[in-house]
């Protein structure tokens, strides 16, 4: 009898301490990892390499690395050879209130010489190759039962359907591009060819209400790259790069805003607006210049001011450019920060938010349709939302 009472006391105490830790403990950074395709959806298949298997193998390796960090929770859309609807993949992340959504895939092209890695964020694009890549991945919906009803008449082959897809708040675009840039930067560090950060209307990203990216790790249609992707060594190398990029993103962005005041993905009702975007790289023009323009070496961004300082980020690229107007469609007052081999190019700076919006509008009128605002406070990068609270 005494033993029974003792057991009940221990049980009550365990529930109590569990409740206390959940209520007052520090919330964990939640990462949803999505392995593309699965089961009867093989994805791309070339030279004996199967996309669904490679994507799953890398996702499990990334998850294993992240799970070593006690401050990170990992959620998987699949851990085996299952077929998961595209919208359900996003909903898994939404229900978990994930902080980021990372979908992992392999690329393919009829041109077997194509190689390199690229990371996509959600958005409309006029770039033909971006749209073709999205069409290829979105065609998976036709394998789902009642897909026309489920996706409100969406046809992955129809340009009208793509025109009807819209993007969530710019806050997600800002952070998604930042995460994508970190992924590409880590790939560059291990010697992979970077094809840049791009935008395209991927259905799997469309319904995820958080910063989200789709990673194309490389081309399995390329014999050499496909063999590397399908090897244990190659997968471990890529997984480590992706995990390091996620951890770097977490360190820079997580906890900088008051999460108690944000709407969680599971509660999200989006107000959306259409955007029109292309590859996140500046168009390099070379008009005649009478005098050589001054060169500015990239250096880590350092801003010291008691007021929030706004800048316009134009692009993130592995290519080092001279900071001259001719390389930035005529824009001057360009600055750059470097992170490994990744260069972030920024235009203007101001403590006035309305002036910052004017600078952003000017950058977009010059062809940088994917430009966005970033903010700094006391020498550290903060979210634009945080900066506006302090004005």
């Amino acid at each position: 009898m005494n033993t029974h009472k003792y057991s009940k006391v221990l049980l009550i105490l365990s529930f109590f301490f569990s409740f206390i830790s959940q209520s007052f403990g520090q919330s964990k950074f939640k990462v949803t990892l999505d392995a593309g395709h699965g089961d009867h959806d093989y994805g791309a298949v070339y030279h004996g390499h199967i996309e669904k298997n490679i994507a799953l193998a890398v996702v499990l390796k990334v998850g294993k690395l992240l799970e070593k960090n006690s401050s990170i929770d990992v959620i998987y859309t699949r851990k085996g050879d299952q077929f998961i609807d595209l919208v359900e993949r996003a909903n898994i992340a939404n229900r978990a209130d994930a902080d980021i959504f990372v979908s992992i895939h392999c690329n393919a092209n009829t041109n077997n010489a194509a190689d390199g890695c690229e990371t996509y964020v959600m958005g409309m694009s006029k770039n033909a190759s971006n749209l073709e890549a999205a069409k290829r991945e979105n065609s998976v919906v036709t394998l789902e039962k009642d897909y026309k009803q489920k996706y409100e008449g969406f046809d992955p082959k129809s340009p009208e359907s793509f025109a009807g897809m819209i993007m969530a708040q710019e806050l997600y675009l800002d952070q998604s591009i930042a995460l994508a840039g970190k992924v590409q930067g880590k790939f560059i560090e291990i010697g992979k060819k970077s094809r840049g950060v791009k935008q395209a209307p991927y259905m799997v990203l469309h319904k995820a209400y958080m910063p989200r990216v789709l990673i194309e790790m490389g081309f399995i249609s390329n014999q050499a790259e496909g063999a590397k992707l399908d090897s244990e060594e190659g997968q471990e190398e890529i997984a480590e790069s992706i995990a390091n990029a996620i951890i770097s993103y977490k360190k820079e962005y997580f906890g900088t805003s008051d999460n108690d005041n944000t709407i969680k993905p599971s509660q999200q009702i989006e107000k959306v607006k259409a955007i029109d975007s292309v590859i996140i790289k500046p168009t390099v023009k070379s008009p005649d210049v009478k005098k050589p323009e001054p060169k500015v070496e990239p250096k880590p961004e350092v801003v010291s001011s008691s007021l929030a300082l706004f800048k316009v980020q134009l692009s993130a690229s592995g290519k080092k450019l001279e900071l001259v107007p001719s390389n930035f469609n005529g824009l001057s007052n360009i600055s750059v920060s470097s992170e490994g081999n990744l260069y972030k190019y920024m235009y203007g700076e101001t403590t006035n938010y309305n002036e910052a919006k004017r600078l952003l509008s000017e950058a977009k009128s010059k062809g940088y349709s994917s430009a966005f605002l970033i903010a700094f406070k006391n020498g550290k990068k903060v979210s634009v939302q945080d900066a506006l609270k302090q004005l």
Side-chain angles (χ1 to χ4, degrees):
M1 188 68 177
N2 289 336
T3 303
H4 179 66
K5 286 183 178 179
Y6 180 67
S7 298
K8 287 181 70 175
V9 171
L10 284 178
L11 184 62
I12 291 169
L13 285 173
S14 67
F15 276 122
F16 174 75
F17 286 116
S18 175
F19 172 78
I20 291 295
S21 64
Q22 289 179 9
S23 300
F24 301 101
Q26 188 176 15
S27 60
K28 291 190 175 184
F29 183 73
K30 295 181 180 180
V31 179
T32 296
L33 297 177
D34 173 50
H37 310 282
D39 193 34
H40 55 283
D41 172 22
Y42 283 70
V45 179
Y46 281 83
H47 314 300
H49 309 304
I50 303 173
E51 181 181 0
K52 69 169 185 174
N53 295 339
I54 297 172
L56 179 60
V58 172
V59 157
L60 294 177
K61 287 177 171 64
V62 173
K64 188 176 180 181
L65 290 169
L66 292 177
E67 286 166 349
K68 293 179 181 179
N69 189 319
S70 60
S71 65
I72 296 178
D73 270 344
V74 180
I75 301 100
Y76 301 87
T77 59
R78 69 181 181 99
K79 295 185 76 173
D81 191 17
Q82 300 105 5
F83 178 74
I84 311 294
D85 292 354
L86 292 184
V87 70
E88 177 59 16
R89 294 171 188 261
N91 283 339
I92 289 170
N94 293 333
R95 287 193 295 267
D97 288 324
D99 292 290
I100 60 172
F101 177 81
V102 180
S103 188
I104 295 178
H105 293 254
C106 298
N107 219 333
N109 196 293
T110 52
N111 174 12
N112 291 344
D115 64 342
C117 56
E118 54 199 22
T119 302
Y120 285 88
V121 298
M122 177 62 199
M124 296 305 298
S125 175
K126 292 181 179 179
N127 184 279
S129 62
N130 291 11
L131 286 173
E132 285 304 313
K135 284 180 182 179
R136 183 176 65 248
E137 296 293 353
N138 289 342
S139 66
V140 172
V141 301
T142 62
L143 302 177
E144 301 177 19
K145 186 178 179 180
D146 300 326
Y147 78 91
K148 288 188 177 180
Q149 289 75 25
K150 187 185 301 180
Y151 295 99
E152 301 173 340
F154 176 78
D155 180 355
K157 296 181 180 179
S158 166
E160 288 76 15
S161 287
F162 283 94
M165 289 181 70
I166 50 181
M167 177 155 181
Q169 298 175 2
E170 282 191 0
L171 171 63
Y172 298 136
L173 177 60
D174 181 336
Q175 295 176 330
S176 297
I177 292 172
L179 175 57
K182 287 184 180 294
V183 171
Q184 289 302 116
K186 293 298 180 183
F187 282 158
I188 291 170
E189 286 180 12
I190 62 171
K192 288 186 68 68
K193 174 184 174 181
S194 173
R195 297 168 65 92
V197 175
K198 303 180 180 181
Q199 287 185 294
Y202 283 99
M203 181 61 75
V204 72
L205 300 181
H206 179 49
K207 296 292 185 179
Y209 301 135
M210 72 243 0
R212 65 271 208 217
V213 299
L214 186 147
I215 301 170
E216 296 281 11
M217 301 179 288
F219 286 78
I220 59 173
S221 49
N222 180 299
Q223 277 196 303
E225 194 162 71
K228 186 74 179 287
L229 287 168
D230 212 356
S231 70
E232 191 72 16
E233 179 187 357
Q235 290 171 7
E236 287 177 355
E237 186 179 57
I238 289 171
E240 187 174 343
S241 294
I242 295 172
N244 286 338
I246 291 171
I247 292 170
S248 175
Y249 173 87
K250 173 186 176 294
K251 287 179 180 177
E252 184 171 346
Y253 289 91
F254 188 63
T256 59
S257 61
D258 185 0
N259 290 325
D260 292 335
N261 294 329
T262 59
I263 299 174
K264 294 181 178 180
S266 61
Q267 304 167 323
Q268 189 83 7
I269 300 175
E270 287 281 343
K271 290 183 179 180
V272 292
K273 62 179 180 179
I275 72 164
D276 187 14
S277 184
V278 294
I279 295 178
I280 316 222
K281 279 188 176 181
T283 302
V284 179
K285 296 183 179 180
S286 301
D288 293 331
V289 181
K290 293 181 180 180
K291 295 181 180 180
E293 297 172 274
K295 298 180 181 180
V296 180
E297 288 298 316
K299 55 185 178 182
E301 187 66 27
V302 178
V303 181
S304 57
S305 172
S306 57
L307 296 175
L309 187 69
F310 299 96
K311 292 190 175 191
V312 178
Q313 183 163 319
L314 301 175
S315 64
S317 172
K319 186 176 182 180
K320 181 179 177 182
L321 298 173
E322 292 182 19
L323 304 186
V324 294
S326 57
N327 280 340
F328 295 91
N329 296 347
L331 293 174
S332 56
N333 194 16
I334 301 294
S335 58
V336 61
S337 65
S338 59
E339 185 176 307
N341 292 321
L342 186 71
Y343 300 95
K344 296 179 181 179
Y345 297 98
M346 294 158 286
Y347 167 57
E349 62 177 56
T350 179
T351 57
N352 185 296
Y353 182 60
N354 289 327
E355 173 63 11
K357 289 194 292 184
R358 188 196 68 77
L359 291 172
L360 177 61
S361 178
E362 183 181 3
K364 290 189 174 185
S365 72
K366 292 286 188 176
Y368 294 98
S369 56
S370 299
F372 59 93
L373 289 179
I374 57 175
F376 299 88
K377 176 73 173 178
N378 295 326
K380 294 182 180 180
K381 190 172 182 181
V382 297
S383 71
V384 173
Q385 280 189 328
D386 279 348
L388 291 175
K389 290 177 185 177
Q390 299 166 8
L391 289 180

